[in-house]
């Protein structure tokens, strides 16, 4: 766990950078079939989002540029937390990744879109 979660209130850019690192670590753990590390990163990502949400709408708005990140895993993670506040942008990013070359982000994009279109999305 990094300094952005411990101690005093971190700045939004630090939290966004930490989310990027967490997404990369998560998808690396997927590639390695390291289920323990995947679980740790899912929890870590949730804590980062909780910290961003302390800033109100500005916290989630800071994730919008990640929808254009060259890393598909980062795009999927950002889109997951932008489906409610920015559905058009998030759906477009997920649709693009869903047809991309990287297996685990592609599968997550498909699952997230399915949940969202069926009205089961809660993030």
């Amino acid at each position: 766990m990094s300094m952005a979660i411990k101690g005093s209130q971190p700045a939004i850019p630090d939290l966004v950078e930490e989310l990027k690192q967490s997404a990369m670590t998560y998808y690396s753990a997927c590639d390695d079939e390291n289920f323990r590390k995947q679980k740790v990163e899912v929890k870590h990502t949730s804590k980062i989002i909780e910290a961003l949400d302390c800033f109100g709408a500005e916290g989630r708005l800071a994730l919008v540029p990640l929808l254009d990140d060259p890393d598909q895993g980062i795009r999927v993670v950002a889109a997951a937390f932008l489906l409610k506040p920015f559905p058009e942008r998030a759906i477009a990013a997920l649709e693009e990744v869903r047809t991309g070359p990287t297996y685990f982000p592609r599968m997550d994009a498909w699952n997230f879109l399915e949940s969202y279109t069926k009205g089961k999305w809660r993030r």
Side-chain angles (χ1 to χ4, degrees), residues 4 34 38-39 55 75 77 83 89 100 115-117 119:
N34 185 336
Q38 291 172 35
K39 186 175 180 179
F55 291 96
R75 289 203 318 253
V77 170
L83 274 168
R89 287 285 322 258
S115 293
Y116 182 78
T117 57

Side-chain angles (χ1 to χ4, degrees), residues 36-93:
R36 186 194 66 74
K37 186 64 175 171
Q38 291 172 35
K39 186 175 180 179
V40 166
E41 288 307 318
V42 167
K43 288 180 181 181
H44 186 202
T45 296
S46 293
K47 290 180 181 182
I48 295 167
I49 295 300
E50 287 174 18
L52 282 168
D53 286 346
C54 290
F55 291 96
E58 185 180 346
R60 298 268 178 132
L61 183 62
L63 299 178
V64 172
L66 299 184
L67 296 176
D68 298 318
D69 196 277
D71 185 288
Q72 290 190 337
I74 291 171
R75 289 203 318 253
V76 168
V77 170
F81 295 101
L82 292 172
L83 274 168
K84 286 197 175 184
F86 302 100
E88 297 82 15
R89 287 285 322 258
I91 289 169

Side-chain angles (χ1 to χ4, degrees), residues 2-60:
S2 81
M3 59 115 182
I5 299 301
K6 296 178 185 176
S8 64
Q9 181 69 25
I12 290 175
D14 294 333
L15 290 167
V16 171
E17 185 59 35
E18 190 163 345
L19 185 73
K20 289 172 64 174
Q21 293 302 316
S22 184
M24 289 187 289
T25 302
Y26 171 79
Y27 284 110
S28 176
C30 289
D31 290 338
D32 296 339
E33 297 182 5
N34 185 336
F35 305 114
R36 186 194 66 74
K37 186 64 175 171
Q38 291 172 35
K39 186 175 180 179
V40 166
E41 288 307 318
V42 167
K43 288 180 181 181
H44 186 202
T45 296
S46 293
K47 290 180 181 182
I48 295 167
I49 295 300
E50 287 174 18
L52 282 168
D53 286 346
C54 290
F55 291 96
E58 185 180 346
R60 298 268 178 132

